[in-house]
PDB file of all heavy atoms in Angstrom:
ATOM      1  N   VAL A 416     225.270 136.677 194.507  1.00  0.00           N
ATOM      2  CA  VAL A 416     225.373 138.092 194.142  1.00  0.00           C
ATOM      3  C   VAL A 416     225.683 138.233 192.649  1.00  0.00           C
ATOM      4  O   VAL A 416     225.151 139.116 191.970  1.00  0.00           O
ATOM      5  CB  VAL A 416     226.458 138.773 195.010  1.00  0.00           C
ATOM      6  CG1 VAL A 416     226.752 140.187 194.521  1.00  0.00           C
ATOM      7  CG2 VAL A 416     226.026 138.793 196.468  1.00  0.00           C
ATOM      8  N   ARG A 417     226.509 137.324 192.145  1.00  0.00           N
ATOM      9  CA  ARG A 417     226.899 137.374 190.727  1.00  0.00           C
ATOM     10  C   ARG A 417     225.681 137.335 189.803  1.00  0.00           C
ATOM     11  O   ARG A 417     225.574 138.113 188.852  1.00  0.00           O
ATOM     12  CB  ARG A 417     227.830 136.184 190.413  1.00  0.00           C
ATOM     13  CG  ARG A 417     228.497 136.250 189.046  1.00  0.00           C
ATOM     14  CD  ARG A 417     229.360 135.015 188.806  1.00  0.00           C
ATOM     15  NE  ARG A 417     230.427 134.842 189.796  1.00  0.00           N
ATOM     16  CZ  ARG A 417     231.568 135.542 189.793  1.00  0.00           C
ATOM     17  NH1 ARG A 417     231.775 136.462 188.884  1.00  0.00           N
ATOM     18  NH2 ARG A 417     232.488 135.318 190.696  1.00  0.00           N
ATOM     19  N   THR A 418     224.733 136.448 190.107  1.00  0.00           N
ATOM     20  CA  THR A 418     223.519 136.324 189.299  1.00  0.00           C
ATOM     21  C   THR A 418     222.722 137.631 189.323  1.00  0.00           C
ATOM     22  O   THR A 418     222.235 138.113 188.297  1.00  0.00           O
ATOM     23  CB  THR A 418     222.634 135.190 189.867  1.00  0.00           C
ATOM     24  OG1 THR A 418     223.446 134.034 190.026  1.00  0.00           O
ATOM     25  CG2 THR A 418     221.456 134.897 188.980  1.00  0.00           C
ATOM     26  N   ILE A 419     222.613 138.177 190.515  1.00  0.00           N
ATOM     27  CA  ILE A 419     221.840 139.417 190.672  1.00  0.00           C
ATOM     28  C   ILE A 419     222.477 140.549 189.867  1.00  0.00           C
ATOM     29  O   ILE A 419     221.791 141.302 189.167  1.00  0.00           O
ATOM     30  CB  ILE A 419     221.746 139.788 192.174  1.00  0.00           C
ATOM     31  CG1 ILE A 419     221.039 138.658 192.934  1.00  0.00           C
ATOM     32  CG2 ILE A 419     221.034 141.121 192.368  1.00  0.00           C
ATOM     33  CD1 ILE A 419     221.137 138.763 194.448  1.00  0.00           C
ATOM     34  N   LEU A 420     223.800 140.626 189.933  1.00  0.00           N
ATOM     35  CA  LEU A 420     224.508 141.683 189.209  1.00  0.00           C
ATOM     36  C   LEU A 420     224.317 141.543 187.706  1.00  0.00           C
ATOM     37  O   LEU A 420     224.141 142.538 186.996  1.00  0.00           O
ATOM     38  CB  LEU A 420     226.000 141.659 189.558  1.00  0.00           C
ATOM     39  CG  LEU A 420     226.332 142.108 190.984  1.00  0.00           C
ATOM     40  CD1 LEU A 420     227.798 141.875 191.294  1.00  0.00           C
ATOM     41  CD2 LEU A 420     225.969 143.582 191.194  1.00  0.00           C
ATOM     42  N   GLN A 421     224.336 140.291 187.231  1.00  0.00           N
ATOM     43  CA  GLN A 421     224.121 140.075 185.795  1.00  0.00           C
ATOM     44  C   GLN A 421     222.735 140.544 185.390  1.00  0.00           C
ATOM     45  O   GLN A 421     222.565 141.235 184.395  1.00  0.00           O
ATOM     46  CB  GLN A 421     224.274 138.586 185.461  1.00  0.00           C
ATOM     47  CG  GLN A 421     225.727 138.198 185.209  1.00  0.00           C
ATOM     48  CD  GLN A 421     225.954 136.695 185.325  1.00  0.00           C
ATOM     49  OE1 GLN A 421     225.007 135.926 185.480  1.00  0.00           O
ATOM     50  NE2 GLN A 421     227.223 136.284 185.238  1.00  0.00           N
ATOM     51  N   GLU A 422     221.741 140.178 186.194  1.00  0.00           N
ATOM     52  CA  GLU A 422     220.360 140.471 185.800  1.00  0.00           C
ATOM     53  C   GLU A 422     220.009 141.961 185.889  1.00  0.00           C
ATOM     54  O   GLU A 422     219.157 142.436 185.156  1.00  0.00           O
ATOM     55  CB  GLU A 422     219.388 139.615 186.619  1.00  0.00           C
ATOM     56  CG  GLU A 422     219.519 138.143 186.240  1.00  0.00           C
ATOM     57  CD  GLU A 422     218.466 137.247 186.871  1.00  0.00           C
ATOM     58  OE1 GLU A 422     217.479 137.766 187.418  1.00  0.00           O
ATOM     59  OE2 GLU A 422     218.651 136.017 186.801  1.00  0.00           O
ATOM     60  N   GLY A 424     222.180 144.253 185.249  1.00  0.00           N
ATOM     61  CA  GLY A 424     223.025 144.951 184.280  1.00  0.00           C
ATOM     62  C   GLY A 424     224.146 145.746 184.914  1.00  0.00           C
ATOM     63  O   GLY A 424     224.341 146.924 184.595  1.00  0.00           O
ATOM     64  N   ALA A 425     224.859 145.114 185.836  1.00  0.00           N
ATOM     65  CA  ALA A 425     225.993 145.791 186.472  1.00  0.00           C
ATOM     66  C   ALA A 425     227.293 145.308 185.858  1.00  0.00           C
ATOM     67  O   ALA A 425     227.507 144.108 185.729  1.00  0.00           O
ATOM     68  CB  ALA A 425     225.987 145.514 187.969  1.00  0.00           C
TER      69      ALA A 425
END
Side-chain angles (χ1 to χ4, degrees):
Chain A
V416 171
R417 190 182 300 282
T418 310
I419 299 168
L420 290 172
Q421 275 161 6
E422 292 188 13

